[in-house]
Amino acid sequence: MATLAALPLFARLELPVLPAGFVYLAGLAGATAAIRFASGTLLSRPRAAVGIAVFLLVLLGAADAALYGRSRSGPEPSTAPDAMIEPARKLLAGEFPYSVDLREHAPASPGIGWVALNAPLTLVGFAPLLSAIWLAAAAAALARRAPPAAAVFVALSLANLHFLRLSFVGHDLFAFSCALVVLIELLAAEDGASPRRIALLAVAAGLVATARVPFALAPAILAFLVFRRDRRAGAWFGLVSLGTAALLHGAMILWARAAGSWYQPLHVFGRAGRSGSVLLLAGAAVWLGASLVVLLRARDDRFAWHAVAWLVLATPFATVGLAELAASPSRIAGWEGANYVAFALPVLAAALASGMEAGAGEADRGGIGPDSG
């Protein structure tokens, strides 16, 4: 998926797309193998792991700060940061947040809960660092239980060219996925948590889920994972999280009607309709079958929680993105569907990091490895 999402970048750079893609894929495989090899060493050196993670995060923040201004002065600056900033300004002024008119009349995709949650950052000039800040939050959540997993997670995320490209322009999609990693880590650690703590996490999940209207799927996945461990907690989490997201979207729809406007985040539903491909039906069938299998049979550990969340969340959106590419393969340089193919990769990176950390730990204890029988 990271390779597919990088193809538009290669096309814009006027590189031969397929050869560049194969070279990048080989590089990704090599980088993943190197990170896997290093994870065993980092397991016994948690301070070094934390130092590596911090170093990489500082590099990303510095690059974001340096390149964001250049991206804004280009011929076609991204409207993504404006879609986070302008609705927040309108809301702070007591006006309907989605009465904004972005460049070339592009609709604002982020929902109001996500906009409000990030307003303390975006309204004080930290929009360029949105991905870096949420990546750091996810790394910190992983580091609470396993510092090596945090280092591996950051390294894998930064090996994704599409992550870097969107981070440099202040896009929020990967920030959403990193926020989801934070929620998964907090929920997975709350075995036997009180209803109050579950409710607080559910409200946070509802806010995060409004990042895009279809992302209500995310708290539904989390609710099912919690439900498998504790039925009452899972039902409570699902009710509060999905209720929070629905309440916020519903309030904006009603406000839009009263203001004679429209709730711009609803435009994302048009993407699937415009794709009009048989690939959508095939993807839906695969998604439904795979989701049922993994949700019912997944283990109750960090790797499984992240892996299940990635698979169930990424599949339908990747299908829409691939259908867009199949409909217009000659316009790959402007393929916006690449965002939906790759946006959930930080969750996969968290799964791989958790799996590497657990595997290395078992190998050190004699459970896995070439000499373990």
Side-chain angles (χ1 to χ4, degrees):
M1 285 187 174
T3 303
L4 281 173
L7 297 183
L9 175 62
F10 299 148
R12 292 190 189 106
L13 294 175
E14 298 183 352
L15 297 173
V17 173
L18 290 181
F22 281 117
V23 170
Y24 177 53
L25 180 61
L28 270 179
T32 302
I35 293 168
R36 174 67 182 90
F37 177 79
S39 66
T41 303
L42 291 175
L43 187 68
S44 60
R45 304 180 63 186
R47 290 186 179 179
V50 170
I52 290 171
V54 170
F55 175 72
L56 292 175
L57 288 166
V58 170
L59 279 183
L60 176 63
D64 285 345
L67 297 176
Y68 178 79
R70 184 178 300 178
S71 74
R72 304 306 293 167
S73 61
E76 296 182 357
S78 172
T79 59
D82 296 327
M84 291 290 288
I85 296 169
E86 297 306 323
R89 287 176 175 168
K90 291 278 190 179
L91 182 64
L92 191 63
E95 302 176 29
F96 177 59
Y98 295 93
S99 59
V100 297
D101 186 15
L102 304 182
R103 188 180 65 85
E104 296 184 356
H105 308 294
S109 298
I112 195 61
W114 181 240
V115 167
L117 183 64
N118 287 280
L121 298 174
T122 58
L123 292 182
V124 296
F126 284 100
L129 302 178
L130 207 58
S131 293
I133 290 171
W134 279 107
L135 184 67
L142 287 161
R144 290 176 62 201
R145 63 176 176 85
V152 171
F153 165 71
V154 174
L156 287 173
S157 297
L158 298 189
N160 180 357
L161 284 179
H162 198 62
F163 180 99
L164 295 176
R165 189 173 76 84
L166 293 194
S167 183
F168 295 159
V169 302
H171 210 294
D172 68 295
L173 265 181
F174 283 113
F176 160 78
S177 297
C178 291
L180 184 57
V181 170
V182 174
L183 288 168
I184 291 172
E185 283 294 314
L186 294 176
L187 279 169
E190 294 296 335
D191 192 5
S194 68
R196 179 177 297 180
R197 289 179 63 85
I198 290 293
L200 289 174
L201 289 172
V203 170
L207 292 171
V208 170
T210 63
R212 301 293 185 273
V213 178
F215 286 176
L217 179 60
I221 298 168
L222 298 182
F224 193 90
L225 291 170
V226 175
F227 184 84
R228 293 177 70 242
R229 175 187 288 179
D230 183 329
R231 291 187 176 184
R232 180 176 297 180
W236 180 234
F237 180 88
L239 178 65
V240 175
S241 61
L242 293 172
T244 298
L247 181 64
L248 290 169
H249 287 313
M252 287 298 104
I253 291 171
L254 292 176
W255 195 352
R257 290 180 179 177
S261 185
W262 69 295
Y263 186 39
Q264 295 183 24
L266 294 175
H267 85 93
V268 298
F269 287 115
R271 299 187 74 101
R274 289 195 301 270
S275 299
S277 172
V278 175
L279 184 60
L280 291 177
L281 296 176
V286 170
W287 171 73
L288 182 60
S291 298
L292 288 174
V293 171
V294 299
L295 286 171
L296 292 173
R297 303 190 62 178
R299 301 190 310 271
D300 186 13
D301 58 34
R302 296 298 205 287
F303 169 79
W305 279 53
H306 289 293
V308 167
W310 169 74
L311 179 64
V312 179
L313 181 64
T315 302
F317 294 99
T319 301
V320 172
L322 291 172
E324 290 184 6
L325 178 61
S328 302
S330 61
R331 301 176 60 184
I332 192 169
W335 178 39
E336 293 185 4
N339 293 342
Y340 288 108
V341 168
F343 82 96
L345 283 176
V347 186
L348 177 60
L352 294 174
S354 298
M356 287 181 183
E357 182 270 333
E362 291 182 16
D364 285 345
R365 294 189 297 271
I368 296 177
D371 300 321
S372 60

